[in-house]
Amino acid sequence: MRVVEKTGKTVEEAIATGVQELAVDRKYVQVEILEEPTKKGLFGLFGTKLAKVRVTYEDDPGLLATGFIQNICQAMGVKAETQVTKNSENWHVNITGPELGILIGRRGDTLDALQYLTNLSVSKKLSDRVRIIVDVEGYRSRREETLIRLAKRLSDKVKRTGVRIVLEPMNPHERRIIHTSLQDDSRISTFSEGDDPNRRVVIALKRG
């Protein structure tokens, strides 16, 4: 939360000064009028009393995240729009627009980097820790569906052949999807081996 107290010849002038100092949109602030402007003395001959206001802005993680992402997109020359939603645990920012493959990268590497930097930028401005999930036109949900299908197909192959399969390197989130999708299979065991960024999931038959 950021708070400033400002004066002006009118209440609106004082508010405008406070909003300018906070560098936020007027609609996102709360205003408390501390003193109304008045004229002092007979016919106002002895000066005036300025308006005084307290302007409060409560940082919004969604707005901070979208602002950071929009700046990144602008610097990259990418035309993009953002939509923000929030559930009980996380803030979700979905980026939409033409030709956004550059924001995803190979296997989502660029998207993961953008998400990391967005969380870093937002956390520096907030007292409470929040988690921002950044997506590009639903890429993460499509990728999750692809990985689940892949895990089921490869587990069937392992059961047919008895030969373990080592997947391509994946980030922790994607490895977790593979593990979770096969955790209830009584014949299949999954584990990870190697070091990041080359850590891989192994799908094998359960021993015994």
Side-chain angles (χ1 to χ4, degrees):
M1 179 183 294
R2 289 181 283 162
V3 181
V4 295
E5 292 185 2
K6 293 296 175 181
T7 59
K9 293 180 180 179
T10 65
V11 168
E12 283 305 315
E13 181 181 288
I15 294 172
T17 303
V19 168
Q20 183 177 12
E21 181 171 322
L22 292 172
V24 297
D25 194 295
R26 170 70 172 84
K27 63 184 177 182
Y28 297 124
V29 302
Q30 295 180 335
V31 176
E32 180 183 355
I33 300 174
L34 302 178
E35 295 179 8
E36 292 279 1
T38 57
K39 291 185 176 181
K40 295 180 180 178
L42 184 63
F43 306 115
L45 295 178
F46 303 103
T48 59
K49 182 180 180 181
L50 296 175
K52 186 176 182 180
V53 300
R54 179 181 292 122
V55 183
T56 304
Y57 173 70
E58 182 124 15
D59 288 313
D60 184 297
L63 290 175
L64 293 173
T66 55
F68 177 80
I69 291 170
Q70 289 289 358
N71 287 338
I72 292 292
C73 290
Q74 185 176 3
M76 296 174 65
V78 175
K79 294 182 179 180
E81 296 183 358
T82 54
Q83 295 85 39
V84 180
T85 57
K86 183 181 183 298
N87 59 24
S88 59
E89 297 179 354
N90 305 316
W91 291 80
H92 294 257
V93 181
N94 188 46
I95 308 172
T96 59
E99 302 179 358
L100 295 181
I102 189 174
L103 295 181
I104 298 174
R106 184 170 179 267
R107 298 200 305 268
D109 290 346
T110 304
L111 180 57
D112 288 338
L114 178 59
Q115 178 173 287
Y116 172 77
L117 292 174
T118 301
N119 277 275
L120 195 63
S121 174
V122 171
S123 65
K124 286 183 177 180
K125 299 176 182 178
L126 297 176
S127 55
D128 297 327
R129 182 177 177 81
V130 298
R131 184 161 185 256
I132 312 292
I133 305 298
V134 181
D135 201 357
V136 172
E137 296 192 330
Y139 167 81
R140 292 194 185 280
S141 59
R142 295 196 305 274
R143 176 66 171 165
E144 180 173 350
E145 292 171 0
T146 298
L147 290 173
I148 292 174
R149 289 196 300 269
L150 176 66
K152 299 295 185 183
R153 179 168 57 83
L154 294 181
S155 68
D156 288 342
K157 184 176 180 179
V158 170
K159 283 184 277 192
R160 286 197 313 270
T161 65
V163 179
R164 77 175 198 164
I165 294 177
V166 182
L167 280 68
E168 65 181 9
M170 295 179 183
N171 62 43
H173 176 68
E174 293 188 339
R175 294 198 304 270
R176 192 177 305 113
I177 292 172
I178 299 292
H179 293 310
T180 302
S181 65
L182 298 177
Q183 66 183 1
D184 294 328
D185 193 317
S186 61
R187 296 181 57 194
I188 290 295
S189 172
T190 64
F191 55 92
S192 296
E193 62 181 19
D195 300 319
D196 287 325
N198 296 312
R199 193 162 174 78
R200 305 164 185 261
V201 174
V202 179
I203 302 175
L205 287 177
K206 282 186 178 178
R207 295 180 179 179

